[in-house]
Amino acid sequence: MTDSTIAIRTATETDWDAVALLDAHAFGFHPTDEDMAFTRRFARTEDVILATDDDRPVAVVMHFAMRITVPGGTQLDLPGVSWVSVAPTHRRRGILRALFTEQHRRFVAAGAPLSILTATEATIYGRFGYGPATSELTVSVDRRSARIRDTAADPGGVALVPPAAARPALPGIYDRWQARTPGALARPQVYWDRMFADLEHRRDDASALFYLVHADGYAAYRRKHTPDGMVAVVDDLVAATDESYAALWRVLAGMDLMREIRVDQAADDPLPWLLTDARLPRVTSRDDAVWVRIMDVPAALTARTFAVDLDVTLEVNDPFLDAGGTFSLRVVDGRATATRTDAPPQARLDLDVLGSLYLGGHRARSFARAGRLWTSDEAVLDRLDLAFRADREPFAGWHF
Ligand SMILES: CC(C)(COP(=O)(O)OP(=O)(O)OC[C@H]1O[C@@H](n2cnc3c(N)ncnc32)[C@H](O)[C@@H]1OP(=O)(O)O)[C@@H](O)C(=O)NCCC(=O)NCCS
């Protein structure tokens, strides 16, 4: 950073108005008092770091205390970086880099195994060792033609419930789904409070939420008028069992006055195979969601399970901090040991690529084909490709 008037410091309680103003300019919306109240419950002021110019805040980063499920079911506590904004008056002078340097120094000191974020632009965070690790498909289903196969589970048990009855039921179902889904993020109480507050300005011109609840799953959707007819926009569809998923889709598919159903899904969602017409779920967009930066390679690799045995020496390049090096990764019966080694590498990759592989949502082979993963021979690539896969595609569950 070149400007001598710029300083980095931890925020204090009196800085929150300035934080809100920075965010408003960065993201193009005015956070309401309710928005700020939710954020202040989620973020501790001491986890907010500011850059100031002559004492005036000109940039902010913060993190929330998060928890993520990794392949095999272990849940890791980790920081979730958010509210990253540099005033348009001060961009491209290295202020984000200076803030990230301080913020990640704190993550190292706290012993974080990973850190995560969601990204407005895909070009910003690779240089800091973050790789896109979970994906979301937005799917549109022409409901008028949607028929569930006769062979699909038909357990019934879905009730139409008012918000007051949904409120105590949903968090437990979500927790069970989260525990079995790689990449899934635990939801803090403030998330649920915000969801049930269902603030009008967050409805995107659609109705308040409707809830369909089964003992093991639920769908929360809004009705939206469009020139082509009514659309059910599903905000949240969570099923802890396959049976409840089929039961919920039987109800959604039966909503006669809805022309279309819109929903976000993981890439391996079974919906096409539940329907008599597998082409009906039309993917209208595919986006990355959670980006992973591995802060401690051995801690991260030993926290997840692997699909096949492995014995490989990995050279990992960290372009930002000192998390890289050469590691011996041995997997026996799914469990890994990972230690630093001086042995010659059999595979070489940047830390962002390891982050992209970590939750099982991307294939080692794809990165090899793009020239971003080198292996000494085809057999090593084959094992890596198989080993990093998870039993299901990672899915975040919510954005922060
Ligand atoms: C993204 C943003 C925070 C970058 O802040 P900044 O202070 O201009 O970034 P820096 O000057 O520290 O840049 C650090 C590096 O990232 C690069 N970079 C920064 N923003 C980038 C962008 N939008 N696209 C591509 N590269 C970018 C810089 O070129 C620089 O690269 P280098 O260090 O390898 O030379 C800022 O543009 C911003 O507030 N944007 C709007 C809000 C937003 O999208 N925030 C991110 C939320 S996830």
Side-chain angles (χ1 to χ4, degrees):
M1 213 165 39
T2 47
D3 320 39
S4 58
T5 51
I6 304 288
I8 304 293
R9 67 165 169 84
T10 302
T12 64
E13 293 297 323
T14 55
D15 287 317
W16 277 100
D17 284 349
V19 169
L21 188 65
L22 282 169
D23 211 55
H25 280 277
F27 298 102
F29 80 102
H30 292 287
T32 63
D33 290 347
E34 288 108 330
D35 291 329
M36 289 311 294
F38 282 121
T39 300
R40 291 201 55 182
R41 279 180 56 199
F42 197 19
R44 302 183 318 164
T45 304
E46 59 264 41
D47 295 333
V48 179
I49 307 175
L50 297 175
T52 59
D53 188 354
D54 275 336
D55 290 337
R56 193 166 42 86
V58 293
V60 59
V61 294
M62 66 179 79
H63 77 268
F64 307 129
M66 312 271 301
R67 180 170 293 169
I68 196 169
T69 304
V70 301
T74 296
Q75 304 221 3
L76 294 180
D77 290 324
L78 76 182
V81 174
S82 194
W83 285 61
V84 175
S85 29
V86 175
T89 50
H90 284 70
R91 288 190 182 149
R92 306 301 181 273
R93 304 184 195 175
I95 293 181
L96 171 63
R97 182 170 282 279
L99 285 169
F100 257 36
T101 300
E102 171 58 18
Q103 186 185 44
H104 288 72
R105 185 192 64 71
R106 297 183 189 189
F107 294 167
V108 171
L114 320 173
S115 67
I116 55 172
L117 51 76
T118 57
T120 49
E121 293 183 272
T123 44
I124 304 172
Y125 295 110
R127 61 176 52 75
F128 299 112
Y130 286 87
T134 75
S135 307
E136 279 174 17
L137 311 185
T138 301
V139 165
S140 162
V141 180
D142 183 343
R143 194 217 55 83
R144 297 165 304 177
S145 313
R147 306 271 175 282
I148 306 293
R149 285 177 176 266
D150 292 342
T151 48
D154 190 4
V158 176
L160 319 181
V161 307
R167 193 179 182 115
L170 271 47
I173 296 169
Y174 182 89
D175 290 349
R176 280 190 281 141
W177 169 82
Q178 189 241 335
R180 63 180 280 196
T181 307
L185 304 171
R187 285 180 179 171
Q189 184 57 42
V190 60
Y191 176 95
W192 294 108
D193 292 347
R194 184 180 188 130
M195 175 168 167
F196 287 104
D198 200 5
L199 299 174
E200 190 139 6
H201 74 277
R202 300 182 68 88
R203 292 180 192 164
D204 194 22
D205 296 327
S207 72
L209 286 169
F210 295 92
Y211 296 93
L212 304 172
V213 181
H214 178 280
D216 298 315
Y218 66 85
Y221 71 94
R222 304 180 187 283
R223 185 253 316 116
K224 185 165 182 149
H225 288 289
T226 73
D228 296 327
M230 279 204 285
V231 177
V233 181
V234 180
D235 260 22
D236 203 16
L237 175 51
V238 171
T241 63
D242 296 336
E243 290 71 25
S244 64
Y245 189 70
L248 287 163
W249 267 105
R250 283 186 186 279
V251 176
L252 290 166
M255 297 201 299
D256 284 345
L257 299 186
M258 299 295 169
R259 182 183 189 281
E260 178 193 343
I261 298 174
R262 289 182 201 156
V263 63
D264 290 338
Q265 298 182 337
D268 61 348
D269 193 281
L271 181 62
W273 320 122
L274 274 181
L275 295 169
T276 53
D277 181 349
R279 287 186 187 171
L280 274 187
R282 206 166 42 81
V283 176
T284 55
S285 71
R286 182 190 175 107
D287 298 297
D288 51 78
V290 169
W291 290 56
V292 167
R293 182 195 143 87
I294 296 183
M295 299 295 300
D296 179 334
V297 173
L301 291 177
T302 51
R304 64 157 288 180
T305 59
F306 291 84
V308 296
D309 287 356
L310 199 60
D311 189 358
V312 67
T313 308
L314 291 179
E315 184 185 314
V316 182
N317 170 46
D318 180 357
F320 179 42
L321 304 172
D322 298 325
T326 305
F327 302 90
S328 159
L329 172 62
R330 291 199 68 213
V331 176
V332 179
D333 296 335
R335 281 284 159 203
T337 48
T339 46
R340 287 190 181 270
T341 176
D342 294 327
Q346 296 163 290
R348 189 177 295 129
L349 70 175
D350 284 344
L351 192 67
D352 62 331
V353 175
L354 192 60
S356 287
L357 299 180
Y358 183 68
L359 296 172
H362 297 288
R363 294 187 58 171
R365 220 168 248 294
S366 305
F367 283 100
R369 289 169 64 189
R372 295 179 60 189
L373 167 65
W374 168 87
T375 55
S376 53
D377 61 51
E378 184 65 21
V380 171
L381 177 56
D382 205 38
R383 296 306 282 178
L384 280 177
D385 190 60
L386 290 171
F388 272 86
R389 290 200 210 159
D391 63 341
R392 54 177 62 202
E393 288 288 317
F395 195 68
W398 65 285
H399 292 191
F400 58 96

